[in-house]
Amino acid sequence: MPHDITDLRFFVTITESGSLAEAARRLDVTASAVSQRLRHLEASLGMQLAHRSTRRFMLTEEGELFHAGVVEMLANLDGLVDRLRARSGEVVGTLHVGGPLGFGRHYLAPAIAQFHALHPKLMVSLTLSDVVSAADANRFDLIVHIGQLGDSSMVAYPIAPNSRFVCAAPSYLAKRPAPREPKDLAQHDCIVLRENGEDVTLWRFRRKRSEAAVRVPAILSSNDGEVAKQWALQGKGVVLRSEWDVADSLASGRLVRLLPGWSLPDADVVALVAGRTGMSARVKLFLSFLQARFQPAPPWRR
């Protein structure tokens, strides 16, 4: 039987990675090293845990049972260690945090730096990506997410309110009259952000009981929100962006909000936590820290 708990954590990592290549990337080792270690684990157990190739990793029936048992055991062990350390007032261990690129750079990274200063014995790993999947629930202790999330087992905790605005630079509006109704946007140059597989050229508006949906022409598009905003600042067209990202530009006059009488679906900032197990003490503490940091109003509304 394996006697090293790192073997068990290793098995959980490669199982949740979906392939040996991805597991090697996450563990920062070679794929051959991952395969060799898995063979040793199987030999010690006397059973095959998975069918695998370079691109595919599929658990056997025994592997499924072993994985479920190991996940439960590690969760119980981690919870016990957290409770024991909490009795001494220590916050230690590793906190795995995920978040979106732009918001992560501007707000999440500074928050983590301050949190770590309060708890220097804690190790924090931050991964930034604008693509969130259900599998990420097992990779991270907490994920900061903006906007709606598709079907997921993760539980959302509110962090901060965040509206979305349609904006353009004064230089663009000097050439093109500002839209008076959402339908007018169909005649404008529009900049769209490709993210989360959404229908990004269909913009939906609401005013009291009225609703309007307009298909905008995507003159420029990018998967990077900072690029989309910079194009708008350069007068290239109309952009739909989160309040947190454009509040400073609106306040300075570098961008102008359009259609202020109409609202778009909010994209609030939330913390996502896997719902099938209880939160560790360090995750609870970090969640409370984030919520307090963005209250009573987030920075973009102060």
Side-chain angles (χ1 to χ4, degrees):
M1 291 291 293
H3 55 81
D4 190 343
I5 196 169
T6 59
D7 285 338
L8 304 182
R9 296 191 186 279
F10 157 79
F11 181 68
V12 172
T13 298
I14 61 174
T15 300
E16 293 171 353
S17 298
S19 71
L20 297 183
E22 175 60 18
R25 187 188 68 80
R26 294 185 187 182
L27 295 166
D28 196 24
V29 296
T30 64
S32 61
V34 171
S35 182
Q36 183 179 16
R37 188 170 180 181
L38 178 58
R39 285 197 302 271
H40 288 164
L41 178 59
E42 290 176 323
S44 68
L45 290 169
M47 66 184 70
Q48 185 177 2
L49 297 174
H51 305 291
R52 65 270 196 183
S53 64
T54 303
R55 296 184 178 181
R56 189 170 178 80
F57 183 90
M58 181 178 297
L59 293 178
T60 62
E61 184 176 350
E62 293 78 9
E64 293 279 4
L65 291 171
F66 185 66
H67 176 257
V70 168
V71 167
E72 183 178 3
M73 186 194 73
L74 291 176
N76 290 335
L77 178 61
D78 289 342
L80 173 61
V81 172
D82 281 337
R83 290 193 296 274
L84 291 173
R85 285 168 171 166
R87 289 170 64 92
S88 65
E90 280 191 310
V91 181
V92 294
T94 302
L95 181 66
H96 297 277
V97 180
L101 286 167
F103 187 86
R105 295 190 194 105
H106 284 83
Y107 291 108
L108 186 54
I112 288 176
Q114 184 178 356
F115 185 71
H116 185 264
L118 297 172
H119 308 286
K121 291 186 178 181
L122 181 69
M123 294 183 290
V124 185
S125 171
L126 174 63
T127 301
L128 300 181
S129 171
D130 283 332
V131 179
V132 177
S133 66
D136 291 329
N138 298 317
R139 291 182 56 198
F140 300 104
D141 296 307
L142 181 147
I143 300 172
V144 174
H145 180 71
I146 298 177
Q148 298 295 316
L149 184 70
D151 293 340
S152 172
S153 61
M154 291 182 277
V155 179
Y157 296 87
I159 298 296
N162 175 57
S163 298
R164 296 196 298 170
F165 300 144
V166 173
C167 315
S171 59
Y172 174 82
L173 297 174
K175 299 178 294 184
R176 307 282 293 274
R180 306 181 72 165
E181 299 286 338
K183 64 181 181 180
D184 297 338
L185 289 169
Q187 310 304 320
H188 277 266
D189 296 340
C190 294
I191 302 165
V192 300
L193 177 63
R194 304 188 305 272
E195 56 183 353
N196 296 329
E198 297 176 358
D199 187 354
V200 295
T201 62
L202 185 64
W203 294 0
R204 300 182 182 276
F205 297 83
R206 177 186 292 272
R207 184 175 62 185
K208 297 181 180 179
R209 295 185 179 181
S210 299
E211 294 184 358
V214 57
R215 179 72 65 181
V216 300
I219 303 302
L220 293 171
S221 66
S222 174
N223 66 335
D224 188 307
E226 182 62 25
V227 169
K229 184 177 75 170
Q230 289 301 319
W231 281 336
L233 288 168
Q234 294 164 16
K236 301 301 294 182
V238 178
V239 70
L240 190 163
R241 288 298 294 138
S242 278
E243 179 185 4
W244 73 261
D245 191 29
V246 296
D248 288 347
S249 298
L250 292 172
S252 67
R254 298 176 65 203
L255 287 177
V256 177
R257 183 181 174 187
L258 306 177
L259 301 170
W262 293 81
S263 63
L264 292 125
D266 289 334
D268 293 341
V269 183
V270 298
L272 302 175
V273 177
R276 55 187 171 81
T277 57
M279 281 188 284
S280 66
R282 58 181 173 270
V283 175
K284 289 180 181 177
L285 193 63
F286 182 60
L287 174 59
S288 297
F289 174 84
L290 282 181
Q291 291 174 323
R293 186 179 177 89
F294 289 92
Q295 295 297 327
W300 50 90
R301 292 189 179 179
R302 294 173 190 166

